[in-house]
Amino acid sequence: MTNTKQNNSNSEKERLDFIRQIVAEDLKTNKWDGRVVTRFPPEPNGYLHIGHAKSICLNFGIAAENTGGVCHLRFDDTNPTKEEQEYIDSIIEDVHWLGWDWSEHLYYASDYFEQMYEYAVQLIKKGKAYVCDLTAEQTREYRGTLTKPGKDSPYRDRSVEENLDLFERMKAGEFPDGSCTLRAKINMSHPNLNMRDPVMYRILHAAHHRTGDKWCIYPMYDWAHGLEDSIERITHSICTLEFENHRPLYDWFLDQLDAYHPQQREFARLNLTYTVMSKRKLLKLVQEGHVVGWDDPRMPTLSGLRRRGYSPQAIRNFCKRIGVNKFNSTVDIALLEHCLREDLNKTSPRVMAVLRPLKVVIDNYPEGQVEELEAINNPEDPSAGVRKVPFSGELYIEREDFMEEPPKKFYRLAPGREVRLRYAYFVTCTDVIKDESGDVVELHCTYDPATRGGDAPDGRKVKSTLHWVSAGHALEAEVRLYDHLFTKENPDDTTEGEDFKSNLNPNSLEVLTSCRVEPSLKNALPLSRYQFERLGYFCVDPDSSDGKLVFNRTVSLRDPWAKIQKARKKK
RNA sequence: UGGGGAAUAGUGUAACGGUAGCACGACUGACUCUGGAUCAGUUAGUCCAGGUCCGAAUCCUGGUUCCCCAGCCA
């Protein structure tokens, strides 16, 4: 059998998640006339985060995978008191950045307000909706509890004429905020609380970011959302699990109106270890200054991840790998980081940078000589080519690459030990200079001219290769190192009386100000990504200016030595 | 104590009555001018108890545990 492998790959059929299975099945049975129309419907009241990316990739992904499939971007802007244009702009930018496109299908719920109003009038005429004068507090009392049925509002049996008149006057602005609502007339003792005469419209004398002062009544989610889907002739209305309880109401409204009726499906939202994912909590972190903004590189927001150096491809790969299901789960952030490294390894140009510089003088290197040594830009991608890196007799190496008394398994530089400087020469440490407090401030080495380029003609080997920069040529840079924003896998795991902020990691940001990077980075553009050899992936922060480079560490390289040290510390 | 959902290695997922598989993590080892990458290997699982069946993660019965719902938020 020569083609076993091929058979295997052929028989390995594409595994579809349960939503995609439903879409495939619907296509087979021609349930929607062969159409696949999904939508991503964010409320513009915050920035998008990695959890939204899961939903975005699901909805846009399904549309892209099926011929003729379409995914709408729709702003669910039904609450003017919480929504802002800033959020709309950021959402558009983020979805585009992730690599998705909605072409002309950009919609706003607010564009349907007139239609929704007409539908509401229809419902009133059918005797299925009424204007209720109960206060918010009374409404709550009348609703009953999880175990006790509610009771009918005294306004429940108003005549159609009276309801029509009152509703029109609500719209006309005759009544103050909170004085009355339009409610669906369903069943006050329904076991599903959502069905106990839910509010359809509330009065809000607030300016809307798009409709201005045109409206003072605004539709509630349950009333609006199904209509939006219906108007846009969505086929698969995919949302998160907490809306499962709302589906009967979604269905009820569309059935009563005899309107086009998409199918709602629910999946579990994403949770990630060491981070929070609720807009409310993220907003709190921003407002209280625990982070510098929505795009702080420690935030799980798409803008934060972008600034941190994540690639859209890494995030999309991640979303593909985590799958889609109906049960709550928490994905290990290590999987996200794996997808990140996997993508950046293939795409990032390599460069040398020293985070914590230690001066090295090569005593036998010709005074004043400078050589241009060739370095490979990306060993994973030959087409990335090569570049020149200046070498001289005065260098910086990483402070942690030298130990005066090296423990077992430390392969790097130590007194009397020979190592390779990447793309350069073998050097041997001959002398250690310390200051009065005993700290190592400078190393003296000799180099072997025969090892130019990094190979010894006599075939002798060294145990390790160090990165370096030429002291006279390197650029100064600031580097920001990040760690998880929270110290606990589950930030909500708190002690009595504390909230998630008590689990904030005080060491989530470390700023290094006297780093040195190789001169090829001089004109590096903001948001461009590099691998600093042996250290990790780094991204140029927009805070960089002409004279000053600032880098964010996106993620470190896998680092067995760090692991060994960590294990030793524990002992 | 009402209703709606859901349970597969440490984590995330597949298997749709027929050999419980994949990925991440962890741990070995090989290789290496990045202690990177790559490659090879090890580790470990069907919530519980019954039942149906030649055969059950899958079907049935009964439990257990977890999540969601009492906004004029979405």
Side-chain angles (χ1 to χ4, degrees):
Chain A
M1 288 299 266
T2 54
N3 59 348
T4 313
K5 204 168 187 180
Q6 201 184 343
N7 281 345
N8 282 347
S9 65
N10 281 348
S11 64
E12 194 165 311
K13 36 185 178 296
E14 186 109 3
R15 282 194 282 265
L16 299 181
D17 57 68
F18 80 100
I19 302 260
R20 277 180 243 252
Q21 280 178 32
I22 288 167
V23 173
E25 182 65 21
D26 288 350
L27 241 21
K28 208 187 287 173
T29 61
N30 211 33
K31 180 170 177 181
W32 308 99
D33 313 316
R35 298 156 52 239
V36 176
V37 186
T38 57
R39 100 266 98 110
F40 174 62
E43 183 191 12
N45 69 343
Y47 279 63
L48 260 26
H49 53 63
I50 182 87
H52 292 111
K54 178 179 180 181
S55 174
I56 291 166
C57 291
L58 217 211
N59 280 294
F60 280 94
I62 286 171
E65 292 154 16
N66 293 285
T67 49
V70 176
C71 181
H72 301 177
L73 175 60
R74 178 173 74 221
F75 289 99
D76 204 1
D77 53 352
T78 57
N79 184 354
T81 65
K82 290 191 176 169
E83 298 153 6
E84 290 174 29
Q85 185 62 40
E86 177 196 348
Y87 296 130
I88 292 179
D89 297 340
S90 76
I91 289 167
I92 286 177
E93 182 185 4
D94 289 347
V95 179
H96 263 154
W97 175 74
L98 251 194
W100 302 105
D101 182 47
W102 48 88
S103 66
E104 75 270 31
H105 301 287
L106 174 63
Y107 302 111
Y108 294 84
S110 53
D111 287 342
Y112 310 142
F113 282 173
E114 194 67 49
Q115 268 179 95
M116 291 176 184
Y117 180 81
E118 293 305 322
Y119 271 125
V121 168
Q122 247 187 72
L123 217 55
I124 293 172
K125 284 182 177 164
K126 281 184 146 180
K128 299 286 188 179
Y130 62 97
V131 174
C132 179
D133 296 354
L134 253 29
T135 64
E137 195 183 337
Q138 289 169 324
T139 304
R140 193 184 338 119
E141 284 162 9
Y142 274 73
R143 186 156 33 228
T145 68
L146 294 176
T147 49
K148 268 181 278 177
K151 50 185 183 184
D152 289 357
S153 160
Y155 306 99
R156 199 170 197 261
D157 292 317
R158 293 219 252 227
S159 70
V160 169
E161 292 68 34
E162 188 183 4
N163 282 321
L164 250 18
D165 173 60
L166 254 18
F167 186 46
E168 195 180 323
R169 288 163 62 192
M170 274 173 69
K171 182 194 177 197
E174 288 188 28
F175 311 122
D177 285 8
S179 56
C180 57
T181 56
L182 183 72
R183 295 227 259 161
K185 193 192 278 191
I186 307 181
N187 178 359
M188 286 308 290
S189 48
H190 196 110
N192 181 340
L193 302 232
N194 294 128
M195 300 296 273
R196 319 242 260 229
D197 289 12
V199 173
M200 295 163 60
Y201 278 95
R202 76 285 215 188
I203 299 175
L204 246 31
H205 288 272
H208 186 279
H209 50 98
R210 282 180 62 82
T211 60
D213 293 323
K214 181 168 181 207
W215 295 87
C216 64
I217 55 171
Y218 290 93
M220 298 285 293
Y221 169 86
D222 286 307
W223 168 243
H225 205 86
L227 293 180
E228 295 159 23
D229 286 345
S230 178
I231 290 165
E232 293 176 16
R233 294 182 65 77
I234 299 298
T235 55
H236 303 267
S237 177
I238 303 165
C239 60
T240 43
L241 247 32
E242 67 270 25
F243 292 104
E244 214 159 9
N245 293 326
H246 296 247
R247 183 159 33 130
L249 185 49
Y250 181 102
D251 291 338
W252 188 89
F253 279 133
L254 294 177
D255 285 345
Q256 294 302 319
L257 296 168
D258 204 19
Y260 171 84
H261 193 154
Q263 172 84 53
Q264 176 178 309
R265 296 287 180 180
E266 308 84 11
F267 70 97
R269 58 166 72 230
L270 170 68
N271 297 294
L272 259 188
T273 54
Y274 296 106
T275 192
V276 293
M277 212 70 96
S278 92
K279 278 196 217 172
R280 204 198 95 245
K281 285 175 188 158
L282 294 175
L283 179 63
K284 209 160 202 180
L285 293 176
V286 172
Q287 284 177 338
E288 295 180 7
H290 297 106
V291 294
V292 300
W294 285 100
D295 69 343
D296 186 298
R298 292 165 293 181
M299 292 280 273
T301 51
L302 295 181
S303 53
L305 295 171
R306 174 167 61 236
R307 186 169 172 188
R308 173 80 168 254
Y310 274 73
S311 62
Q313 193 59 55
I315 294 173
R316 290 170 63 145
N317 291 347
F318 171 73
C319 290
K320 202 171 287 177
R321 289 215 203 181
I322 56 177
V324 180
N325 244 319
K326 287 202 67 150
F327 45 90
N328 300 302
S329 58
T330 301
V331 177
D332 192 336
I333 192 132
L335 181 60
L336 213 211
E337 292 175 347
H338 168 80
C339 293
L340 218 210
R341 292 190 180 104
E342 186 180 51
D343 184 56
L344 297 185
N345 175 50
K346 286 184 294 196
T347 58
S348 300
R350 265 102 255 226
V351 99
M352 288 196 285
V354 174
L355 264 31
R356 298 175 179 86
L358 173 59
K359 183 107 171 250
V360 172
V361 177
I362 315 284
D363 290 328
N364 61 337
Y365 194 77
E367 180 85 34
Q369 179 173 298
V370 176
E371 292 179 83
E372 295 284 321
L373 300 172
E374 189 171 280
I376 294 165
N377 287 331
N378 186 350
E380 304 294 323
D381 176 15
S383 73
V386 296
R387 70 185 185 287
K388 298 286 189 189
V389 184
F391 181 89
S392 69
E394 287 197 7
L395 312 168
Y396 289 113
I397 65 165
E398 206 65 59
R399 194 160 272 277
E400 64 177 30
D401 281 342
F402 172 80
M403 279 186 118
E404 197 169 13
E405 291 165 25
K408 238 183 154 60
K409 290 194 177 171
F410 180 86
Y411 303 145
R412 283 107 96 142
L413 196 59
R417 194 183 277 182
E418 183 173 55
V419 299
R420 171 170 38 235
L421 295 179
R422 175 133 236 222
Y423 299 123
Y425 295 97
F426 284 13
V427 295
T428 303
C429 178
T430 53
D431 206 4
V432 181
I433 315 284
K434 296 180 189 174
D435 62 14
E436 45 300 333
S437 54
D439 293 330
V440 176
V441 293
E442 187 176 308
L443 261 28
H444 283 253
C445 293
T446 56
Y447 85 119
D448 176 357
T451 57
R452 187 176 199 274
D455 281 309
D458 64 3
R460 75 182 190 278
K461 301 286 184 197
V462 287
K463 206 61 168 136
S464 79
T465 301
L466 309 186
H467 61 275
W468 52 272
V469 295
S470 168
H473 302 84
L475 273 25
E476 272 199 56
E478 173 179 322
V479 173
R480 299 171 183 169
L481 305 180
Y482 300 101
D483 195 358
H484 302 143
L485 232 197
F486 294 91
T487 53
K488 285 196 176 164
E489 275 198 22
N490 175 11
D492 289 317
D493 175 14
T494 51
T495 51
E496 248 335 275
E498 301 278 6
D499 73 352
F500 72 104
K501 295 195 300 295
S502 66
N503 286 324
L504 274 164
N505 178 4
N507 305 314
S508 61
L509 169 64
E510 183 181 0
V511 180
L512 269 23
T513 51
S514 48
C515 311
R516 298 288 195 288
V517 302
E518 65 169 68
S520 71
L521 251 15
K522 180 149 182 45
N523 297 312
L525 264 22
L527 295 183
S528 53
R529 296 181 276 261
Y530 297 90
Q531 185 198 96
F532 289 179
E533 292 218 26
R534 303 209 307 133
L535 297 174
Y537 297 95
F538 294 77
C539 180
V540 180
D541 191 272
D543 281 351
S544 297
S545 57
D546 268 354
K548 185 190 166 202
L549 280 165
V550 178
F551 290 91
N552 294 314
R553 184 174 67 191
T554 310
V555 66
S556 65
L557 252 24
R558 285 188 62 229
D559 187 353
W561 171 240
K563 209 177 267 182
I564 291 168
Q565 283 176 302
K566 215 174 166 185
R568 280 183 185 160
K569 255 186 198 168
K570 265 188 183 170
K571 281 182 193 171

